[in-house]
Amino acid sequence: MARLVAREYCCMRAFILALALSAVVVAPALDADRPNILFIMSDDHAAHAIGAYGSHVNQTPHLDRLAREGAILTSVFATNSICTPSRATILTGQYSHLNGVTMFNRFDSSRMTVARLLQAGHYYTGMIGKWHLGSDPVGFDRWDILPGQGAYVNPVFYTATDQHTYTGRYVTDVITELGIDFMKNRPRTRPFFLMVHHKAPHRPWEPDPAHGTRFMDRWIPEPETFWDAYDTRTDALHENQQRVAKDLTRRDLKLRPPSDLEGAALAAWLATKPDTVTTDVGGQPVTLSGEALTRWKYQRYMQDYLATVQSIDDSVGRLLDFLDRSGLAKNTLVIYTSDQGFFLGDHGLFDKRFMYEESLRTPLLVRWPRAVKAGTRSDAIALNVDFAPTLLDAAGLAVPADMQGRSLLPVLRGRTPPDWRTSMYYRYYHDPGDHNTRAHYGLRTRTHKLIYFWKKDQWELFDLANDPFELHNLYGQPGHDTLTATLKAELLRLKQAVRDGDQLANEQLPNGVDGPIAKLRGR
Ligand code: CA
């Protein structure tokens, strides 16, 4: 396949060269015309914790600079909102059911990826930071990855031949410096493709000392839906275990353990979800419980989450400075995204997984001065399956037919094709799994969302125009039959279009229970 791609690339080069010669112009070196690609991805960074997306809780000047000097896309969605599946989707341009990573399965590294295609297309390729796909990276000339989730402090990095512990260092800084080192030491004869994958702001949200103290005295406003009681919603929200009120552990909340605990006893203490917390208020110890404790937990969670985001923003600033100083900025395509969204107390939740907006939506900022006009803004529906085709398109390489996304370059250039998608398909599988989040799949259009918790045979329907916080489940309510039927038909059409058949789903169902498509057809 790599040879095939290389051959296609050679053909493309020959074709472009012939065109240039026929126009009687001096053909520039083709590699010099192709952009470098710096793909920066954080882990669990919600769009609503970025200034350019209208954050109420923090400021991100360097990320905002990317939006100002390039494009901001405001309707970008993960197709399966969880870390490892999203990473596999970004690499392959395929939905989870086709790339084989529906949950935390090991990625089959013999599969075709955007990295392998760019490498075969003469790019110098690198992967720095969190990988979390269970198999070694393939398609990269250099990689320095965290094992598994990695550590915030004293991180270990693996390379193809070695491992190194960065004692006394903070992971976001190390990833930034390794990324800059990759760009500094790249061969000058080839464009580069560098994936910089941050660990932050993933749980357990451990800030560096400077930013940790900076947020400790801040009061973070609670989101509008913080006290959502889940009226009208299905069992799934009631049964979830990703609530700020109940499911943050002592480790998450950075409570100090008794000094005599160690080993398994210490681990058990840290993993406990406390019902009461004694804290210092105005110099006096106060024991909090109930609503007061929930509010306190939210503050502690967000203070640390936002502090880790601030280190990411600093990192983006350092990477952009390097591009400026080295003269690379003009022809480097810079992308900033996250592997999915995140609940920042929305609906009383943390974590992701659900198809609700805050978790579904992911940030996407793109700067490429040669091709993307500064200040571009689009609400065209973009998906993480589009990322790989976009990068290949920017590099002038063919997009394989089995990639399911479309290049976003026309959208980024302000010329969204008339036949651009107006709806998207989503599916979450990890059930039973962490946080007791129920398996579901669904449809999001520009105005509505239909979610099917298929193991429970329960539905939710939201009018996003009139109920943007998704508080009123309209499914089964009088007057919505026609709308429901239309949305179900579109859901079935999309499910079939992305080739998500019953086979996989049936493997996860008890014998004799209908698969999702059979159920959908029956309604
Ligand atoms: Ca993630």
Side-chain angles (χ1 to χ4, degrees):
M1 185 65 181
R3 280 198 300 276
L4 177 67
V5 171
R7 196 162 62 236
E8 285 175 356
Y9 173 62
C10 288
C11 292
M12 185 199 72
R13 284 169 65 104
F15 175 66
I16 293 173
L17 188 61
L19 274 182
L21 288 173
S22 69
V24 199
V25 294
V26 177
L30 286 170
D31 280 348
D33 268 359
R34 301 198 297 163
N36 302 301
I37 300 170
L38 173 57
F39 181 89
I40 310 167
M41 183 164 76
S42 53
D43 191 346
D44 294 357
H45 190 182
H48 53 311
I50 294 178
Y53 281 95
S55 170
H56 300 300
V57 293
N58 65 336
Q59 296 178 328
T60 51
H62 300 297
L63 288 165
D64 298 353
R65 178 187 164 196
L66 263 187
R68 195 170 58 248
E69 296 178 357
I72 179 168
L73 270 60
T74 58
S75 299
V76 185
F77 305 120
T79 49
N80 179 4
S81 179
I82 190 163
C83 307
T84 299
S86 180
R87 284 152 202 274
T89 288
I90 286 167
L91 285 171
T92 59
Q94 294 178 329
Y95 271 82
S96 304
H97 58 275
L98 292 192
N99 68 38
V101 183
T102 54
M103 294 182 275
F104 291 99
N105 338 39
R106 188 172 188 268
F107 180 64
D108 173 2
S109 57
S110 71
R111 288 177 182 272
M112 185 48 64
T113 65
V114 65
R116 293 176 67 172
L117 290 165
L118 287 168
Q119 188 183 48
H122 207 232
Y123 269 74
Y124 179 64
T125 56
M127 164 65 220
I128 310 285
K130 183 174 171 182
W131 177 247
H132 204 210
L133 283 161
S135 51
D136 283 350
V138 173
F140 296 98
D141 295 300
R142 170 180 167 182
W143 48 271
D144 296 71
I145 62 167
L146 296 164
Q149 296 281 6
Y152 272 103
V153 181
N154 304 325
V156 178
F157 282 77
Y158 290 174
T159 68
T161 56
D162 206 355
Q163 71 178 68
H164 187 73
T165 303
Y166 291 82
T167 306
R169 301 300 314 282
Y170 187 65
V171 69
T172 304
D173 297 335
V174 176
I175 290 170
T176 307
E177 287 156 24
L178 289 171
I180 290 173
D181 183 70
F182 171 91
M183 291 188 283
K184 270 186 183 168
N185 293 301
R186 75 194 189 281
R188 299 302 197 264
T189 53
R190 297 156 68 183
F192 70 80
F193 167 55
L194 173 60
M195 304 186 97
V196 173
H197 287 192
H198 285 294
K199 168 184 174 56
H202 192 280
R203 196 183 189 187
W205 316 297
E206 292 175 9
D208 70 7
H211 291 311
T213 52
R214 170 179 166 172
F215 279 85
M216 284 308 287
D217 296 328
R218 286 266 310 275
W219 182 85
I220 316 296
E222 291 165 5
E224 190 141 345
T225 59
F226 187 57
W227 297 103
D228 185 2
Y230 307 153
D231 295 342
T232 75
R233 262 61 57 78
T234 62
D235 291 346
L237 259 180
H238 294 272
E239 293 171 359
N240 87 76
Q241 294 171 4
Q242 51 187 90
R243 295 194 213 189
V244 172
K246 296 180 180 174
D247 299 310
L248 291 170
T249 65
R250 286 169 170 155
R251 178 191 296 277
D252 294 329
L253 297 164
K254 317 299 179 334
L255 295 174
R256 188 171 300 165
S259 55
D260 58 341
L261 286 184
E262 56 186 29
L266 175 61
W269 190 93
L270 288 169
T272 301
K273 302 170 179 178
D275 293 328
T276 61
V277 166
T278 300
T279 186
D280 182 281
V281 178
Q284 299 294 319
V286 174
T287 298
L288 301 174
S289 62
E291 192 175 302
L293 179 59
T294 300
R295 289 186 189 280
W296 181 87
K297 286 179 177 177
Y298 170 75
Q299 294 299 320
R300 285 302 298 114
Y301 157 48
M302 286 296 288
Q303 286 161 349
D304 286 347
Y305 178 93
L306 293 176
T308 66
V309 166
Q310 221 57 45
S311 295
I312 298 282
D313 192 61
D314 289 350
S315 168
V316 169
R318 289 178 69 185
L319 292 165
L320 294 182
D321 281 350
F322 173 78
L323 294 179
D324 287 340
R325 279 187 281 110
S326 56
L328 290 167
K330 189 175 176 187
N331 197 31
T332 296
L333 166 60
V334 182
I335 291 179
Y336 182 82
T337 190
S338 170
D339 55 350
Q340 9 68 204
F342 213 67
F343 294 107
L344 305 180
D346 315 279
H347 303 285
L349 306 176
F350 65 96
D351 215 75
K352 52 267 184 180
R353 302 163 190 272
F354 279 114
M355 197 188 166
Y356 304 123
E357 289 292 276
E358 298 84 358
S359 154
L360 179 71
R361 184 185 303 278
T362 195
L364 185 63
L365 306 172
V366 182
R367 189 187 76 171
W368 185 13
R370 285 181 58 168
V372 178
K373 200 171 151 191
T376 299
R377 188 179 184 92
S378 173
D379 68 352
I381 294 178
L383 307 177
N384 54 1
V385 288
D386 298 329
F387 294 180
T390 303
L391 302 185
L392 293 170
D393 192 15
L397 297 172
V399 178
D402 62 357
M403 283 194 176
Q404 297 181 293
R406 288 178 73 172
S407 169
L408 295 169
L409 283 193
V411 173
L412 294 167
R413 289 184 167 123
R415 297 192 292 269
T416 303
D419 65 344
W420 195 258
R421 71 171 72 84
T422 55
S423 61
M424 61 83 61
Y425 176 69
Y426 177 89
R427 184 161 180 179
Y428 173 78
Y429 299 80
H430 197 204
D431 174 15
D434 299 337
H435 298 294
N436 209 37
T437 308
R438 299 306 185 196
H440 56 290
Y441 64 87
L443 167 80
R444 190 199 190 280
T445 71
R446 302 196 66 83
T447 54
H448 290 86
K449 187 180 292 178
L450 183 67
I451 308 177
Y452 185 36
F453 294 95
W454 49 272
K455 288 188 179 181
K456 301 180 79 70
D457 195 16
Q458 294 183 346
W459 296 81
E460 290 179 354
L461 166 61
F462 298 104
D463 176 344
L464 299 176
N466 294 306
D467 178 25
F469 294 122
E470 302 168 297
L471 295 171
H472 306 290
N473 178 16
L474 299 175
Y475 189 84
Q477 299 297 309
H480 294 93
D481 289 355
T482 305
L483 172 66
T484 303
T486 303
L487 293 173
K488 281 187 178 179
E490 175 65 1
L491 174 55
L492 180 58
R493 183 191 73 78
L494 274 186
K495 195 168 179 46
Q496 292 174 328
V498 301
R499 289 178 284 144
D500 182 16
D502 271 351
Q503 186 181 3
L504 181 64
N506 276 335
E507 288 170 5
Q508 300 168 22
L509 287 171
N511 288 339
V513 176
D514 281 348
I517 282 189
K519 282 189 173 181
L520 203 53
R521 283 203 177 107
R523 277 153 212 285

